[in-house]
Amino acid sequence: MTHRAEEPDVPVAGPAAPGTGVAFTVNGIPARCAVDPRESLLDVLRERLGLTGAKRGCDHGQCGACTVLLDGRRILSCLMPAVQARGAGVTTIEGLAEPDGTPHPVQRAFLDQDALQCGYCTPGQIMSAVACLAEGHAGDDEEIREYMSGNLCRCGAYPQIVAAVRQAARPAAARPGGAPDA
């Protein structure tokens, strides 16, 4: 379900600055910011809203560390001007777990498969994996590698990342523990 932020009485996040007003929803919570038209969505998420899960890697859209979902589609937040998120629903790594703290199935799979080493790329990898699954691109390891190829891991955890996506793609009954997801 896409959430739209159109409530004019939502407090402005971060310091008041001259700029363009942008209202959107982040992890299901309405947000409003005055932004410089050149300011990236990554900057707004990290600096204004304190959501530091999306990482600044290359600032050129080549590493995927800044991957978030915009209306359910993965985007590179370092390349997207924040003004283009107006009215959209943004999901960051901080918004994936259930309200009670239960990890999203992809987060659980990354833990189960030890698909992280230093952890810097992990939020972007997980967000890209969520989109990969939603797009239906987890048919086999080759397809997973192709659709995850925009996310780099300097530590080389690629085999574990593919295994995690494969695990998350299995029906709930076939996952470790056999319990369906909430």
Side-chain angles (χ1 to χ4, degrees), residues 114-141:
D114 196 24
L116 52 129
Q117 288 184 26
C118 81
Y120 194 81
C121 74
T122 304
Q125 295 279 1
I126 289 173
M127 297 308 292
S128 192
V130 167
C132 182
L133 293 168
E135 295 162 1
H137 296 300
D140 58 30
D141 288 2

Side-chain angles (χ1 to χ4, degrees), residues 1-154:
M1 179 176 167
T2 301
H3 299 282
R4 300 277 180 197
E6 298 173 4
E7 300 174 36
D9 59 342
V10 175
V12 173
T20 303
V22 177
F24 52 96
T25 302
V26 181
N27 300 328
I29 300 169
R32 225 176 87 193
C33 301
V35 301
D36 181 305
R38 298 165 295 182
E39 197 169 6
S40 73
L41 180 59
L42 177 62
D43 288 334
V44 169
L45 293 171
R46 291 183 60 80
E47 307 302 325
R48 305 280 184 93
L49 302 177
L51 298 169
T52 58
K55 305 296 186 219
R56 180 175 313 286
C58 65
D59 254 349
H60 297 288
Q62 297 176 346
C63 72
C66 67
T67 303
V68 299
L69 304 180
L70 183 76
D71 289 336
R73 292 182 37 236
R74 61 181 135 182
I75 59 131
L76 301 169
S77 62
C78 74
L79 295 181
M80 177 176 227
V83 295
Q84 288 184 341
R86 180 178 284 124
V90 177
T91 304
T92 68
I93 190 73
E94 292 91 345
L96 280 187
E98 296 294 324
D100 68 358
T102 302
H104 183 280
V106 173
Q107 291 172 309
R108 176 83 262 152
F110 267 66
L111 292 170
D112 291 346
Q113 298 297 327
D114 196 24
L116 52 129
Q117 288 184 26
C118 81
Y120 194 81
C121 74
T122 304
Q125 295 279 1
I126 289 173
M127 297 308 292
S128 192
V130 167
C132 182
L133 293 168
E135 295 162 1
H137 296 300
D140 58 30
D141 288 2
E142 185 176 326
E143 185 177 34
I144 292 169
R145 280 191 293 274
E146 175 67 25
Y147 283 88
M148 292 290 294
S149 65
N151 292 78
L152 302 179
C153 173
R154 292 180 181 171

